[in-house]
Amino acid sequence: MAQHRVELSQPVSDEVRKTTCYMCACRCGIDVHLKDGKIRYIEGNRDHPVNRGVLCAKGSAGIMQHYAPARLDSPMLRTGPRGSGEFRKISWDEALALATEWMGEVRTRDPKKLAFFTGRDQSQSLTSFWAQQFGTPNYAAHGGFCSVNMAAAGIMTIGGAFWEFGAPDWDRTKLFVMFGVAEDHDSNPIKIGISKLKKRGARFVSVNPVRTGYSAVANNWIGVRPGTDGLLILAIVHELLKARRIDVDYLVRYSNAPWLVIDAPGTAEHGLFARDADGKPLIFETVTERAVPAHTKGARPALSGRFRMADGRPVVPSFQLLADEYLDPKHAPEAVADEIGIDVQVIRGLAAEIGRVAFDEAIEIDQPWTDVHGERHQSFVGRPVSFHAMRGISAHSNGFQTARALHMLQVLIGAIDCPGGFRYEPPYPKPLHAHPRPHGKAEHFGSNQPLAGPHLGFPLGPEDLLIDGEGRPARIDKAFSWEAPVSAHGLMHMVIANAHAGDPYPVDLLFLYMANMAWNSSMNTAGTIRMLEAKDEETGDYRIPKIIYSDAYSSEMVAYADLVLPDTTYLERHDCISLLDRPISEPDSVNDAIRWPVVEPDREVRGFQSVLLDLGARLGLSGFVDHRGKPLYADYADYIVRHERRPGIGPLAGFRGAEGDKTGRGAANPDQLRRYIENGSFFSVHIPEEALFFKHANAAYQDFAVKMGFFDKPQPVTFQLYSEELQKFRLSAEGLREPAALDIHRERILAAFTPLPLWYQPLEEGAVDDGEFPYHAITQRPMAMYHSWGSMNAWLRQIHTKNRLYVPGEICDEHGLVDDDWVWLTSHHGRIKVQIARSATANRDTIWTWNAIGKRGGAWALDKDSPEATKGFLLNHLIHELLPPKGDGMRWSNSDPVTGQAAWYDLRVRIEKAEPGEVSEPHFAAQTADKDVPAELRYGQEWAK
Amino acid sequence: MTCLPSNPTPKKLGLVIDLDVCVGCHACVVSCKEWNTGGYGAALSDQDPYGADVSGTFLNRIHSFEVLPEGGEVAAERGEARLIHFPKSCLHCEDAPCVTVCPTGASYKRADDGIVLVDEDMCIGCGLCAWACPYGAREMDLAAGVMKKCTLCIDRIYNETIEEVDRVPSCVRTCPTNARHFGDLADPNSAVSIMVAERGGMDLMPEQGTKPVNKYLPPRPRLPLAAAAAGREDTSGATGFFAWLDGMLDRI
Amino acid sequence: MHPALSIIVFTTASGLGYGLAAALGLGLLNPALVSTKLAHFVALALIGGGLLSSTLHLGNPQRAWRALSQWRSSWLSREGVMAIVTFVPLCISAYAAIFHSRYLLLPGLLGVAGAGVTVYCTSMIYASLKSVQAWHTPLTPLCYLLFAGAGGSLLGLLFAAAGGGDTPILALLSIAFLGAAWTAKLAWRRNMENMDPLSTPESATGLGNLGRVRLFERPHINDNYLTSEMGFRVARKHADKLAKISLIAGGIVPAVLVLGVLASGASGLGVALAALAVLSHAVGMLTERWLFFAEARHAVMNYYGG
Ligand SMILES: Nc1nc2c(c(=O)[nH]1)N[C@H]1C(S)=C(S)[C@@H](COP(=O)(O)OP(=O)(O)OC[C@H]3O[C@@H](n4cnc5c(=O)[nH]c(N)nc54)[C@H](O)[C@@H]3O)O[C@H]1N2
Ligand SMILES: Nc1nc2c(c(=O)[nH]1)N[C@H]1C(S)=C(S)[C@@H](COP(=O)(O)OP(=O)(O)OC[C@H]3O[C@@H](n4cnc5c(=O)[nH]c(N)nc54)[C@H](O)[C@@H]3O)O[C@H]1N2
Ligand code: SF4
Ligand code: SF4
Ligand code: SF4
Ligand code: SF4
Ligand code: SF4
Ligand SMILES: [Mo]
């Protein structure tokens, strides 16, 4: 019989359009295949520096994302009460006129009464610029609830951070240790990298209370108790010091280990660096026995000892303090293993491996280079031990110091930006002082004027805080106040609560973009919903009078907006993945990218960035209108091409100059977007070979960075093992420095702002009774879902249609629980009733679930009885934005006391068996959904062959 | 043609799946779905896609298993329980029971390359082949009423309209950890055969007698960390640290 | 396995139909009787109805004819072919009986053979599936054949009694078949209960050398085609109860009733008892078939924690 004939060589599509994925912040290059004007297939762009052709589940599900019935299709004005989901569709003209009226009025009266907060968008460079021109001090993006601990600790210690700003040297590392990562922003590069190193036989160790995903394939899994990584890291430091496994040469060259710290307790100088008249830090020169400026040629600095300066002040090299601290037996493995919940030998083994690989398996790349002090080196010496960490460390209230400890560990073994180590991704490294100071004090803003400078940045000391004369916060989220002095990304999770409470003041207009604050990105979700619905008893107005929100889909938050500005999908708009923003560079290359409308919107939707430019122009904000008040930019595409932040520096670094042949710096090129599109929608420039490593001190790299326009003069980084900035806050807390910390904050600041990283107990753990709440509860990101926005995707939602609470076998056995049982999970703040599943692959005290699978009925164009709404759930109901009241009735925000990072993973719970149920609790009334949804999908049937 | 072709076929095209690196990301699942829903045969339908009883046709799915050894390494305070993500699609068996049971001849194994396919124009949707497959690699499309299964992306691997590097299955091309490999398992010198030989590639349910072409690479053996502790240098505590430091400084 | 109504009805009805056809083919009923003519008609109706019912679960029934093509390898195809082939002698026999009140030996015996082979083919559809270990035993065809014999003799008995014909042979046959069938079935069930699973989560994943394997998460948390088709699970307690019901209704009650028929002969009471016996047996068989599917565990469930 003849064999069935199969059409083997059908063309895939009519046309391929290359753009950039958007289902997460990884921003992979994609090839969008179009057939008959519809999306046929999306695959990874093989040339793209980020993903090299691969694509994750979310990326491949772009078809369903783009055609989801949950897409918004028109601007809307609320008609029913908040939360009801009742709206009237209005025209864009009406919507923009209304928004302009509301905003213009606030801007004239009191610009701080507009609070503009954005979610995980990738256009912070525009949104922050807009907010600055508008003149409100109240702007931030999502970093405060996300991973500011990681960013702040990194920048303050090594001038760069994990997050998406650096990566392990996947091709060379021989030992890779990953702390608390489930997925991260670098999702595809991490997967590609793990695969590479496993193939090479390198060891991969995962430190994580839960063993799934990456941890599942790790050679070794260290199932720590949540919040104890700091103990583990410092015990490793202790072991390495004891074993003399530290890179002394590297420390002297690149860190502040030799810098002299003034030892004058009780004075305003105590613990600060001794400096010369020019402000240069001093070291002690052991040959001439004098304090000389750091990096004085030929000087042999002391790392230990106690000295006196010429003026008699006692000083000590910061490394002496470091060694004294960490050699103390209280940091020994046997002292901390129980608290971490692991075996002493595991800590010793890990420390020994780190030391062995770093020093006995050092690698060398024959490539001469010159450091910033003019010294020529024959090769790059690599300590092939690398680390990566994310929210498992940073989403704890001790996360800042834990992340600092991890950076310190890397510096001690000489493994920052060397072959085989952690490597910076340009434009990082960038030293702390090269970042701006925060702006938002009363003198920084006023009626109808721009803010005096950028909102976000790093205070170098208490004098840079945004507080008034009484020490009260200037910002609505209380960022850069005594509550969270180094909150470099703001505290998005506190905005609604503070605005509702009118503390420090009420706002009139809350302007939100791409953040599902009425659901999964809030702590205390039910409370947040009540706050959004709360009315002033006297006036009958909402406590937060006006809310403007831009979303692309009918999320839970949409129902709480008064005015909805519908965004396009990622395939319908221009976007700019800019070096001024959250860049996509890799350690070897500087990269940026764009999105462009590969399909035309078929609804009344507009790209939010274009809308923002339009609003800026309507409001007459400088930077958005010319001197005659005419709009400067036609739309976002036009802005991307023509906007200049500094002369010759615009949103995109590639194809600049009239001919498109300039990189980094150069005049605007009207043809720039076309050139990007031809190039696959990205631009990549390789870093010169000589500049590839030791970027923090590499003269060739610094020159390259200046040429590219990252900075206008070289900005080398000296690693800050000992942080003088933190010490300044302690001095304020001791009342020794102006402004002095408010009394109520002193204790917290003294404990948390230690200039050398130390571990302290997570705040919630300290505030609740261990016996009453014996277990930890945490969430993990599922790889196939992006927060709340996978559930409207018909393909992705089938993978995670509902979530279970994973309970370790020991706890199941103790409480007589079996799979599918219902339980009450209770925290100091609330309780939820959910279904469990047994698990053997988690720390025995750690209960966990997938993040953001639970949905509110009716949202996302899903049936109100969808499993997401009936069986799915959020842990957020258990997490309060405030810690339990202390003796004096004060309640601190549930955040890291240094950075204000939301402490999602400090949660403590107890578990009890519950009566079987039908729906998870709390269960909320469904939001009205009037979406037409098909009963069956046969996507692509018309192409069936 | 429901009878199997000469056994073994001259070529045995199939997948090799590396359980040592699969992180369970489901990328291959969705990529498979999007490729095949507009490609070979009927679309892969989804029922009640936005409702309470959502379900759909997938040709590749990722399971995850806990493996509980007795007396394994103490990594945390518990025995080393492992979690293993486990992708599964059609294994293109040499002795494919799904083929021989098919009453219509719709199911067949290609004589040249061993790919097991369904000719959807002949399929009556009786479901027997799905019963016969011990692996759960066949799914009836409820909208089309025909049996769907992994085609090994036959419309990619031989597709001359796409670039040669891309003539691999969609799931293989997309897998971020490179856990999926495609090749000819009849050729002992192919990359996949070498990998199978070196890593001890295994059959699933060999006792079913299906002789799967696809192979699974078991997780690589792992060395406990605690073992490294033994070899560490003992520098007898903190004493002498600063003297050592001075010595080091002199050598710089 | 999911107990699909259409398949349960099909196997039960065609078993009864072929059994009756065999009784007719052996000339155990007087062809001159109206009841025998009716019996021929009922046999054909049961067989035809069963076959029709079996197409109900097809995704594309309009192509059902294609199922006849793969008789060289597929038991389903063979069953289809045999069903059609068997129709020829059965129809000839029926024609002769209905219109000429005659029993024809050759078509009769060919019909018996055809019925037997068809039932055997049906049973082999299941018995050939290694993936469903409970089915994969020679006891499966044995049960199918014996049950068809029992059902056929019971029906034959009913028609014989109704027509006032000769009943003792059919009554004795019924009792013999019931006894044999249920003995085989109990052996089948014991086999199912005692067998070591051929495949386990360990062999399914190849991870047995690392330890005990337990499903952590399904690939898609809701049910899918595979879990609804192969993942049907009936509680052990439930199954045991149903197994008893099927034995009582399908075996013991009919056997007792047949003894009653033996005692009362072709009287009105005998007819009523025979009818009750058939009815009870049919109910028992439907239950038996439901359990046949519901209790059988498919190897794929090793991947689904079931
Ligand atoms: N329990 C717990 N809670 C957590 C976390 C946790 O780990 N555990 N993680 C926290 C962290 S780190 C984060 S970052 C937050 C994330 O929380 P959110 O920032 O709220 O993230 P999403 O749920 O993705 O919501 C973003 C909104 O953007 C919308 N959107 C999607 N695409 C577009 C678009 O193209 N344009 C516009 N305008 N809108 C769009 C979506 O519809 C959605 O409503 O959650 C936090 N919440
Ligand atoms: N697929 C997907 N990708 C995403 C996102 C998404 O929603 N889906 N969200 C994006 C966003 S906004 C962010 S912020 C990133 C976050 O990326 P990740 O940081 O990878 O995300 P989390 O899920 O918060 O992972 C935290 C991990 O830390 C572990 N953990 C919890 N507590 C501790 C602890 O005390 N110590 C240690 N060592 N580990 C601990 C948890 O078990 C979990 O595995 O992911 C981004 N990428
Ligand atoms: S990791 Fe996935 S979702 Fe994120 S950008 Fe890449 S393909 Fe898109
Ligand atoms: S895996 Fe299943 S469907 Fe694929 S060839 Fe083997 S038996 Fe057939
Ligand atoms: S469902 Fe289709 S392919 Fe499968 S056995 Fe039946 S006819 Fe053959
Ligand atoms: S080979 Fe093709 S059809 Fe088969 S699982 Fe992979 S993507 Fe799906
Ligand atoms: S894409 Fe690769 S890593 Fe992801 S689930 Fe599939 S096989 Fe595993
Ligand atoms: Mo985040």
Side-chain angles (χ1 to χ4, degrees), chain B residues 147-159:
Chain B
M147 194 53 73
K148 303 294 300 189
K149 68 176 293 300
C150 158
T151 64
L152 209 63
C153 287
I154 192 159
D155 48 353
R156 290 184 64 87
I157 58 177
Y158 295 117
N159 194 330

PDB file of all heavy atoms in Angstrom, chain B residues 147-159:
ATOM      1  N   MET B 147      -7.367  11.520  16.124  1.00  0.00           N
ATOM      2  CA  MET B 147      -6.302  11.301  17.082  1.00  0.00           C
ATOM      3  C   MET B 147      -5.115  12.191  16.737  1.00  0.00           C
ATOM      4  O   MET B 147      -4.702  12.266  15.581  1.00  0.00           O
ATOM      5  CB  MET B 147      -5.906   9.830  17.042  1.00  0.00           C
ATOM      6  CG  MET B 147      -5.062   9.381  18.190  1.00  0.00           C
ATOM      7  SD  MET B 147      -5.724   9.755  19.828  1.00  0.00           S
ATOM      8  CE  MET B 147      -7.075   8.602  19.975  1.00  0.00           C
ATOM      9  N   LYS B 148      -4.604  12.876  17.766  1.00  0.00           N
ATOM     10  CA  LYS B 148      -3.421  13.716  17.560  1.00  0.00           C
ATOM     11  C   LYS B 148      -2.251  13.103  18.311  1.00  0.00           C
ATOM     12  O   LYS B 148      -2.431  12.458  19.347  1.00  0.00           O
ATOM     13  CB  LYS B 148      -3.664  15.124  18.112  1.00  0.00           C
ATOM     14  CG  LYS B 148      -4.857  15.856  17.554  1.00  0.00           C
ATOM     15  CD  LYS B 148      -4.760  16.212  16.098  1.00  0.00           C
ATOM     16  CE  LYS B 148      -3.601  17.117  15.752  1.00  0.00           C
ATOM     17  NZ  LYS B 148      -3.694  17.611  14.343  1.00  0.00           N
ATOM     18  N   LYS B 149      -1.114  13.305  17.789  1.00  0.00           N
ATOM     19  CA  LYS B 149       0.081  12.840  18.491  1.00  0.00           C
ATOM     20  C   LYS B 149       1.284  13.602  17.962  1.00  0.00           C
ATOM     21  O   LYS B 149       1.191  14.272  16.926  1.00  0.00           O
ATOM     22  CB  LYS B 149       0.282  11.339  18.283  1.00  0.00           C
ATOM     23  CG  LYS B 149       0.631  10.987  16.854  1.00  0.00           C
ATOM     24  CD  LYS B 149       0.922   9.525  16.702  1.00  0.00           C
ATOM     25  CE  LYS B 149       2.183   9.138  17.430  1.00  0.00           C
ATOM     26  NZ  LYS B 149       3.381   9.847  16.941  1.00  0.00           N
ATOM     27  N   CYS B 150       2.368  13.477  18.678  1.00  0.00           N
ATOM     28  CA  CYS B 150       3.608  14.105  18.243  1.00  0.00           C
ATOM     29  C   CYS B 150       3.970  13.605  16.858  1.00  0.00           C
ATOM     30  O   CYS B 150       3.979  12.406  16.601  1.00  0.00           O
ATOM     31  CB  CYS B 150       4.711  13.761  19.246  1.00  0.00           C
ATOM     32  SG  CYS B 150       6.367  13.909  18.580  1.00  0.00           S
ATOM     33  N   THR B 151       4.254  14.526  15.974  1.00  0.00           N
ATOM     34  CA  THR B 151       4.613  14.156  14.600  1.00  0.00           C
ATOM     35  C   THR B 151       6.126  14.194  14.421  1.00  0.00           C
ATOM     36  O   THR B 151       6.622  14.073  13.312  1.00  0.00           O
ATOM     37  CB  THR B 151       4.014  15.159  13.615  1.00  0.00           C
ATOM     38  OG1 THR B 151       4.620  16.431  13.877  1.00  0.00           O
ATOM     39  CG2 THR B 151       2.507  15.266  13.791  1.00  0.00           C
ATOM     40  N   LEU B 152       6.823  14.396  15.490  1.00  0.00           N
ATOM     41  CA  LEU B 152       8.249  14.671  15.451  1.00  0.00           C
ATOM     42  C   LEU B 152       8.500  15.897  14.552  1.00  0.00           C
ATOM     43  O   LEU B 152       9.560  16.075  13.965  1.00  0.00           O
ATOM     44  CB  LEU B 152       9.054  13.459  14.963  1.00  0.00           C
ATOM     45  CG  LEU B 152      10.480  13.390  15.524  1.00  0.00           C
ATOM     46  CD1 LEU B 152      10.476  13.247  17.032  1.00  0.00           C
ATOM     47  CD2 LEU B 152      11.250  12.228  14.920  1.00  0.00           C
ATOM     48  N   CYS B 153       7.451  16.712  14.490  1.00  0.00           N
ATOM     49  CA  CYS B 153       7.515  17.918  13.661  1.00  0.00           C
ATOM     50  C   CYS B 153       7.993  17.573  12.259  1.00  0.00           C
ATOM     51  O   CYS B 153       8.920  18.209  11.732  1.00  0.00           O
ATOM     52  CB  CYS B 153       8.391  18.983  14.301  1.00  0.00           C
ATOM     53  SG  CYS B 153       7.612  19.745  15.717  1.00  0.00           S
ATOM     54  N   ILE B 154       7.333  16.601  11.693  1.00  0.00           N
ATOM     55  CA  ILE B 154       7.714  16.151  10.352  1.00  0.00           C
ATOM     56  C   ILE B 154       7.634  17.291   9.342  1.00  0.00           C
ATOM     57  O   ILE B 154       8.354  17.298   8.346  1.00  0.00           O
ATOM     58  CB  ILE B 154       6.826  14.964   9.943  1.00  0.00           C
ATOM     59  CG1 ILE B 154       7.387  14.309   8.700  1.00  0.00           C
ATOM     60  CG2 ILE B 154       5.371  15.365   9.771  1.00  0.00           C
ATOM     61  CD1 ILE B 154       6.931  12.910   8.496  1.00  0.00           C
ATOM     62  N   ASP B 155       6.765  18.256   9.632  1.00  0.00           N
ATOM     63  CA  ASP B 155       6.654  19.396   8.724  1.00  0.00           C
ATOM     64  C   ASP B 155       7.690  20.471   9.022  1.00  0.00           C
ATOM     65  O   ASP B 155       7.664  21.557   8.466  1.00  0.00           O
ATOM     66  CB  ASP B 155       5.230  19.974   8.741  1.00  0.00           C
ATOM     67  CG  ASP B 155       4.698  20.179  10.149  1.00  0.00           C
ATOM     68  OD1 ASP B 155       5.357  19.765  11.124  1.00  0.00           O
ATOM     69  OD2 ASP B 155       3.603  20.765  10.290  1.00  0.00           O
ATOM     70  N   ARG B 156       8.609  20.199   9.909  1.00  0.00           N
ATOM     71  CA  ARG B 156       9.781  21.071  10.116  1.00  0.00           C
ATOM     72  C   ARG B 156      11.056  20.357   9.679  1.00  0.00           C
ATOM     73  O   ARG B 156      11.900  20.948   9.007  1.00  0.00           O
ATOM     74  CB  ARG B 156       9.962  21.429  11.607  1.00  0.00           C
ATOM     75  CG  ARG B 156       8.937  22.359  12.185  1.00  0.00           C
ATOM     76  CD  ARG B 156       9.311  22.701  13.634  1.00  0.00           C
ATOM     77  NE  ARG B 156      10.574  23.436  13.671  1.00  0.00           N
ATOM     78  CZ  ARG B 156      10.668  24.758  13.540  1.00  0.00           C
ATOM     79  NH1 ARG B 156       9.569  25.479  13.422  1.00  0.00           N
ATOM     80  NH2 ARG B 156      11.837  25.353  13.571  1.00  0.00           N
ATOM     81  N   ILE B 157      11.174  19.113  10.111  1.00  0.00           N
ATOM     82  CA  ILE B 157      12.488  18.473   9.967  1.00  0.00           C
ATOM     83  C   ILE B 157      12.872  18.220   8.511  1.00  0.00           C
ATOM     84  O   ILE B 157      14.048  18.099   8.200  1.00  0.00           O
ATOM     85  CB  ILE B 157      12.576  17.173  10.796  1.00  0.00           C
ATOM     86  CG1 ILE B 157      11.494  16.182  10.381  1.00  0.00           C
ATOM     87  CG2 ILE B 157      12.476  17.463  12.280  1.00  0.00           C
ATOM     88  CD1 ILE B 157      11.578  14.854  11.128  1.00  0.00           C
ATOM     89  N   TYR B 158      11.872  18.129   7.643  1.00  0.00           N
ATOM     90  CA  TYR B 158      12.176  17.961   6.220  1.00  0.00           C
ATOM     91  C   TYR B 158      11.819  19.210   5.418  1.00  0.00           C
ATOM     92  O   TYR B 158      11.786  19.163   4.200  1.00  0.00           O
ATOM     93  CB  TYR B 158      11.381  16.784   5.647  1.00  0.00           C
ATOM     94  CG  TYR B 158      11.755  15.427   6.219  1.00  0.00           C
ATOM     95  CD1 TYR B 158      10.823  14.684   6.932  1.00  0.00           C
ATOM     96  CD2 TYR B 158      13.021  14.888   6.006  1.00  0.00           C
ATOM     97  CE1 TYR B 158      11.149  13.430   7.442  1.00  0.00           C
ATOM     98  CE2 TYR B 158      13.351  13.645   6.516  1.00  0.00           C
ATOM     99  CZ  TYR B 158      12.423  12.913   7.236  1.00  0.00           C
ATOM    100  OH  TYR B 158      12.745  11.682   7.729  1.00  0.00           O
ATOM    101  N   ASN B 159      11.506  20.280   6.130  1.00  0.00           N
ATOM    102  CA  ASN B 159      10.931  21.438   5.448  1.00  0.00           C
ATOM    103  C   ASN B 159      12.019  22.264   4.767  1.00  0.00           C
ATOM    104  O   ASN B 159      12.823  22.929   5.428  1.00  0.00           O
ATOM    105  CB  ASN B 159      10.160  22.291   6.457  1.00  0.00           C
ATOM    106  CG  ASN B 159       9.263  23.302   5.776  1.00  0.00           C
ATOM    107  OD1 ASN B 159       9.568  23.767   4.677  1.00  0.00           O
ATOM    108  ND2 ASN B 159       8.177  23.639   6.426  1.00  0.00           N
TER     109      ASN B 159
END
